[in-house]
Amino acid sequence: MTWIPSSAEEVLPSQSPILGCPDEPSAVARYLGGTADGVAQYRAALQRAQHTLGLVQSDGVTEISGKIGQRLEVGAVALNQTAVTARSAFEHYAAEIDRIHAAARWVHTRVEGSLAVIRGQRDTIDEICRALGARVEFHWRAGPPVVMPALALGIPAPGAGWIGVLPHDGGATTGGAMEALAVRARFEPLWAAAVSRWRGAVDQIDADIDEWRRLFDERSSAELALLTALNSTALGQLITVSETTVAARRSIVAFGFSGELWGLTRPPVSPATEHALLVQLLGTRSGADTWHTPPAPARIAEGWSELTPSEQQQLIAEVPWVIGNLPGLPFHVRDQANRRLLEYYALHHDGLSPECVELLRELTSALQDDTGSPPVSVVALNLSGSIPMVAVGYGTLDTSSSLTWEVPGMSSDAHLALGSWHQASQNLYGTQERLLNAQRKHTRSRGGVAQAPGVIAFLAYDTPHLLSVLFAQSARTGAHRLAAELDGAAATRAHGVPLPTHAVIAHSYGTPVTANALTLTQYPVQSFTMLGSAGLDDEVVRAFSDLNIERDHAGAPRVFTTQAAGDQLAPLGAALSDRAQPNPGAVAAGQDHIPGAYVFGSDGWGALLSTDGHSVIGAGDRGLLGGNASTGRGYLDIDTQALVGAAATSLGALPHVPGGLTRNGQPMVSPDTPWILSKGNE
């Protein structure tokens, strides 16, 4: 007898769309509705108190009134908005779960019905087989064979003698043959009907399994929509940017909404720029000018080490804007301070420009998606102007064996470009990690030490648009901040873990920004790699020897460049702006050329893909002059020749540059030992 599943649970996938009860999220929604009403009443009481206090004049009353208006009422508004948004999200989630559960229960009922049909047809098939004296083997999902088995010889048919039994003279009886035909004629329609019903039921079960999986996916989508809505609230953002312990989150939320917890107060996290302790660090109480004119990073690194841990934490908590943006401080300190800033902006974003609000949303999303591989950190954050500026780190930046800065080009202000550079940075980090793993296997037999990359996306200057890209001002202004950050990383490591490899990869207009910055730095970097350069500012940089870059064994600065054939926008911009072209194959008539860079390919090599446009991450069509790379074909898209080449040059792993290097038109075999292996690892 063919085995048939006894219940729908044995057939349907174990991942069930029926989980929990819609009454649970509905109860949460009701609770949140009561919370919203309670907060509204609380806010009304605060307003009445403010009105009453306004009739009295004294220092104490002014302080209380200020706390009500600047902390409690602001927190009440944010908490009310959180409760209202969360209530709506839970109501929608409850409705979705109710719908999905009802649909899933109907699927379960249909499967039970289909199994009942199959069991009924199995009884019919078994009865026919007994009558025919036949035996058939088949899986329940395959169903019985379409053709009914043959009648066995010597089986007594109802109302007849022994069908098919031969008489003594060896001939078959005519009556027996007719009876056999009559038996087949009787059972074949029943067999065919049973087969049809069986297979129809199996087809229905297959369709129901697909529906079950679809409903499970819908339930997962409903859960994701709920989480997204909750994370978008002020409370959700505070939790996202806070530390992971329950106590820390409780403190962050309480201070964020009311400025105190259990009677203990703390100065509100705010972009304040003055503090008495800053005198020890900056020589002045005010850090308002530290973004545009940062102090010498070496001095900052030394001054920070002289503060007590308590003083350091006080500065992080009370002037996070200053601490988070001071080159020369450890990256984990800056990340901690900048996350404090995010806590503040999560509640106080009314005064921000729309661009800054958009960046805040993008950055919060990137931190929410942080899986820790690599860990994401906020290196710099400045939302004080109309254009947001940020630097985002990938990896353990204070201990990494390499640190690579990425500098974007035209139309890459932080709110516009964080998404693409977030992807590009992860691509670069992953490729560098694979190269380091390959190097590690090679060096382990020779006592090689473990290496780990670090990457920072520097979206911290006002990038030019389509017209201003032809001028040098943005590059000259942005260079000062970049130079301070490069020196800051070197100065920080001078008081901690050595930094064997410090590199810059620049794209498009980011190449003149970087080149200008490398004329201002105190500490040299190991390499400078250019992707689709928009030309260099030859009023500042006349030769690569002007740049503060370490030289190779041939005495040449380690400058690398690539220009995709499909990227026609970069050389046009360089020519129109009359900037000097570092790519020998892209020099226009009458245009200055800066010779001496090592050139690597980006048009595909072996299994590696070509870059067919100007962007770092390709999306959609190439556009006019290859202004956009097609999907998967940007300079830093995964598995492109340009990405692997940039990863190798930034690590100094020159033998791993796909397609090799040329310089002044000649193929080059680098005499360098990859400095990621040699420098600092003696």
Side-chain angles (χ1 to χ4, degrees), residues 396-548:
T396 52
L397 305 181
D398 289 314
T399 58
S400 61
S401 56
S402 70
L403 185 60
T404 304
W405 297 77
E406 302 164 308
V407 185
M410 178 183 73
S411 300
S412 294
D413 289 338
H415 65 290
L416 300 173
L418 179 59
S420 60
W421 280 98
H422 181 60
Q423 182 63 59
S425 301
Q426 292 175 316
N427 292 349
L428 177 63
Y429 180 95
T431 306
Q432 287 183 335
E433 190 174 45
R434 287 191 291 275
L435 286 175
L436 290 174
N437 286 337
Q439 296 282 20
R440 188 177 301 124
K441 291 178 183 177
H442 172 69
T443 58
R444 187 164 290 161
S445 61
R446 298 189 286 118
V449 297
Q451 309 287 345
V455 174
I456 299 176
F458 178 82
L459 288 84
Y461 79 102
D462 187 358
T463 63
H465 50 68
L466 192 58
L467 294 179
S468 60
V469 74
L470 302 179
F471 303 99
Q473 187 58 44
S474 292
R476 294 176 184 177
T477 301
H480 288 275
R481 182 69 197 182
L482 177 59
E485 291 286 12
L486 294 174
D487 279 344
T492 300
R493 291 301 190 90
H495 288 74
V497 181
L499 180 61
T501 299
H502 197 192
V504 190
I505 295 175
H507 172 250
S508 184
Y509 191 85
T511 62
V513 176
T514 302
N516 290 355
L518 292 175
T519 67
L520 304 172
T521 53
Q522 177 184 354
Y523 303 96
V525 296
Q526 275 68 60
S527 70
F528 170 30
T529 300
M530 296 178 282
L531 309 175
S533 175
L536 304 186
D537 184 353
D538 56 7
E539 292 185 17
V540 177
V541 179
R542 298 187 178 276
F544 289 128
S545 59
D546 294 338
L547 306 183
N548 195 4

Side-chain angles (χ1 to χ4, degrees), residues 99-256:
R99 177 187 64 81
I100 291 168
H101 283 193
R105 290 191 183 95
W106 178 233
V107 169
H108 186 279
T109 299
R110 285 202 303 267
V111 172
E112 291 284 9
S114 296
L115 290 174
V117 168
I118 291 173
R119 282 190 287 271
Q121 305 317 304
R122 180 188 60 185
D123 293 343
T124 300
I125 292 295
D126 289 346
E127 183 180 345
I128 294 174
C129 285
R130 282 194 298 271
L132 297 178
R135 182 181 182 132
V136 291
E137 298 289 342
F138 57 90
H139 191 272
W140 76 271
R141 272 194 167 279
V146 174
V147 178
M148 188 178 72
L151 180 68
L153 295 178
I155 300 299
W162 292 94
I163 299 174
V165 175
L166 298 177
H168 293 291
D169 60 3
T173 63
T174 303
M178 293 298 294
E179 287 292 342
L181 291 175
V183 169
R184 293 196 64 84
R186 174 184 174 187
F187 288 118
E188 276 183 337
L190 298 175
W191 183 277
V195 169
S196 177
R197 294 189 186 100
W198 190 308
R199 294 195 171 183
V202 170
D203 289 344
Q204 181 61 53
I205 287 174
D206 288 340
D208 285 331
I209 289 173
D210 290 340
E211 177 70 3
W212 187 264
R213 291 194 176 107
R214 187 185 66 79
L215 290 170
F216 177 82
D217 291 341
E218 286 187 2
R219 198 198 81 191
S220 299
S221 297
E223 292 169 352
L224 179 60
L226 174 63
L227 288 175
T228 300
L230 296 178
N231 285 335
S232 69
T233 64
L235 177 58
Q237 291 177 4
L238 282 174
I239 292 173
T240 298
V241 300
S242 66
E243 301 173 38
T244 56
T245 65
V246 173
R249 285 181 171 173
R250 183 185 295 120
S251 174
I252 290 299
V253 170
F255 285 130

